[in-house]
Amino acid sequence: MSNLVDDFGRQITYVRLAVTDRCNLRCQYCMPAHGIEIVPRNELLTYKEMYRIVRVLTELGVNKIRLTGGEPFVRKDFMKFLEMLSFNDLLDDINITTNGALISKHIAELEKLKKIKNINLSLDSLQREKFAKITRRDVFPEVFKTFDLLDKSSLNVKLNVVVQSGVNTDEINDFVALTKDRNIDVRFIEEMPFNGNGQRQTQENWNFTRILNEIKSQYTVVEIPSERSSTSRNYSVDGHLGTVGIIPAFTRTICNDCNRIRITSTGTFKNCLFDDGVFNLRDFIRNGASNEDLKNLFLQLVKQKPKDGFEAEANRKGNVTESMSTIGG
Ligand code: SAM
Ligand code: SF4
């Protein structure tokens, strides 16, 4: 049981850690075409610092981590860091979110690291040209190859599809079709304004309900029970091996059971995706904080966790304009 409990009685057992702010792609909904201003290398947490932060968190009851970014596989020696993290006996699950463009050669190695169970692969279109438009890079063949290899591997695959109005909504049911013979979860994510610029102009609002209705227009789906703190509502599809889910990332109907905290690549502690960032762990560590200091700090910080993403956003000093690659998606 976690000792990290917020003021609403929610236990924090899951940390999402961005290992870098760099990325090899430039997804339209995440970054401007020229990329974001990346931070100097010495401002990024080192692997040793990350390991230490995670160790302290696990001593407080966190048992699950998601590694994300930017693109985690862009950071040098990321595979070594995964190995290092696997030695933490208090961690049960190490999950990774990746764009898949750099990992096909690592899959066999990933399978050997027993704590790595789930890979979330981001794939927003099944059409090469559209994929290139969305990501501003022509790497669909490589990403789809990764998808195939992951599907055949012992790892669980979740496909993350950001639903973008007027861009890939016509493919929602093509993605559902992928679950017919593959034991994968396809999860549709509501687009959020974290693209380095703020809210994008869209003609239509593709929220949870609309996505679900689109699926129901072609398929019979039944809601299946999800883990309490799941970010998605999940559905089985009649006659399909895999499942589909929808993540109400923007309409935020999932905050009640939130068990997560986030740490950005520069060591900013975040209680919520929508908050401003509440503390700089990197400077705290580099100024000599002990593990005991870190523990006490975490116990205090989670008490500031806002009730939900709306409260977090209302408390921000500025508007939501940063890129997901900085926050760590
Ligand atoms: N580079 C990796 C990737 O793309 O999977 C990991 C980092 S990325 C920021 C993590 C997830 O956030 C991806 O699934 C991505 O599609 C999603 N994401 C990024 N920007 C988003 C936005 N504005 N709205 C919704 N999801 C977004
Ligand atoms: Fe890179 Fe992932 Fe952002 Fe796309 S969503 S630009 S792959 S960090």
Side-chain angles (χ1 to χ4, degrees):
M1 189 169 272
S2 171
N3 300 320
L4 283 176
V5 182
D6 75 2
D7 269 354
F8 303 92
R10 295 173 296 196
Q11 298 204 335
I12 309 303
T13 55
Y14 192 8
V15 59
R16 293 173 104 113
L17 173 66
V19 299
T20 180
D21 60 341
R22 277 97 164 140
C23 189
N24 50 329
L25 307 187
R26 292 285 178 274
C27 303
Q28 306 252 7
Y29 51 75
C30 182
M31 281 194 199
H34 51 83
I36 51 159
E37 215 167 292
I38 54 170
V39 300
R41 205 165 290 274
N42 63 357
E43 289 182 21
L44 295 177
L45 289 176
T46 65
Y47 284 138
K48 264 195 184 159
E49 288 167 337
M50 289 184 213
Y51 184 88
R52 184 170 160 217
I53 289 170
V54 173
R55 180 67 203 179
V56 171
L57 284 170
T58 56
E59 285 170 7
L60 290 170
V62 167
N63 59 7
K64 205 165 154 186
I65 187 167
R66 172 164 301 283
L67 298 165
T68 176
E71 172 51 37
F73 287 87
V74 160
R75 185 140 182 192
K76 193 165 167 268
D77 293 332
F78 179 60
M79 288 302 295
K80 283 195 190 137
F81 179 57
L82 289 176
E83 240 177 88
M84 197 167 147
L85 267 187
S86 305
F87 286 113
N88 184 337
D89 56 341
L90 299 173
L91 259 186
D92 296 331
D93 286 0
I94 302 174
N95 300 329
I96 306 170
T97 303
T98 174
N99 62 39
L102 303 168
I103 80 163
S104 58
K105 61 177 183 292
H106 295 302
I107 291 173
E109 232 178 307
L110 289 170
E111 283 183 280
K112 285 190 203 138
L113 296 171
K114 293 295 167 225
K115 290 186 183 179
I116 300 183
K117 294 172 187 147
N118 299 305
I119 306 281
N120 287 10
L121 181 70
S122 302
L123 182 64
D124 302 317
S125 174
L126 298 168
Q127 300 166 18
R128 180 173 180 167
E129 272 179 28
K130 200 194 286 182
F131 180 95
K133 243 187 206 159
I134 295 171
T135 63
R136 302 190 180 102
R137 300 288 184 271
D138 184 20
V139 290
F140 177 78
E142 178 58 25
V143 174
F144 204 80
K145 178 176 138 194
T146 298
F147 169 53
D148 257 339
L149 290 171
L150 285 172
D151 182 27
K152 290 183 188 115
S153 77
S154 57
L155 300 157
N156 298 323
V157 191
K158 289 184 181 169
L159 273 194
N160 281 357
V161 184
V162 177
V163 176
Q164 300 150 66
S165 172
V167 178
N168 63 352
T169 46
D170 57 329
E171 288 189 73
I172 290 176
N173 284 323
D174 296 343
F175 277 103
V176 179
L178 273 186
T179 63
K180 172 112 182 50
D181 301 313
R182 300 181 193 246
N183 190 11
I184 55 164
D185 302 320
V186 171
R187 292 154 4 126
F188 298 101
I189 309 176
E190 288 176 348
E191 183 175 347
M192 297 176 285
F194 295 116
N195 56 18
N197 282 327
Q199 187 71 55
R200 287 208 289 171
Q201 292 303 319
T202 52
Q203 289 143 8
E204 298 163 320
N205 176 15
W206 278 84
N207 60 14
F208 176 93
T209 311
R210 184 142 189 206
I211 298 167
L212 184 58
N213 285 340
E214 174 70 11
I215 298 170
K216 283 183 173 168
S217 71
Q218 277 196 34
Y219 294 97
T220 306
V221 298
V222 176
E223 185 156 6
I224 46 180
S226 310
E227 253 181 67
R228 190 153 171 249
S229 53
S230 170
T231 49
S232 56
R233 279 175 63 188
N234 303 303
Y235 301 83
S236 64
V237 186
D238 202 19
H240 286 212
L241 214 53
T243 60
V244 296
I246 306 174
I247 303 183
F250 194 55
T251 48
R252 288 165 259 184
T253 46
I254 41 169
C255 302
N256 271 352
D257 296 323
C258 183
N259 65 347
R260 280 170 289 280
I261 52 174
R262 290 169 190 266
I263 296 169
T264 71
S265 56
T266 53
T268 299
F269 179 99
K270 283 171 78 82
N271 269 315
C272 173
L273 179 59
F274 288 88
D275 75 21
D276 259 329
V278 287
F279 196 86
N280 192 307
L281 300 171
R282 181 199 62 214
D283 294 347
F284 192 59
I285 292 179
R286 293 186 188 172
N287 286 331
S290 68
N291 283 4
E292 217 35 50
D293 295 334
L294 267 176
K295 265 188 198 166
N296 290 330
L297 176 76
F298 288 136
L299 290 169
Q300 284 170 32
L301 288 176
V302 299
K303 295 286 180 211
Q304 297 169 31
K305 191 168 167 70
K307 182 166 146 277
D308 55 33
F310 294 105
E311 187 179 301
E313 193 175 355
N315 289 340
R316 288 178 72 102
K317 287 177 200 80
N319 291 329
V320 173
T321 54
E322 67 267 55
S323 157
M324 264 306 248
S325 63
T326 318
I327 308 170

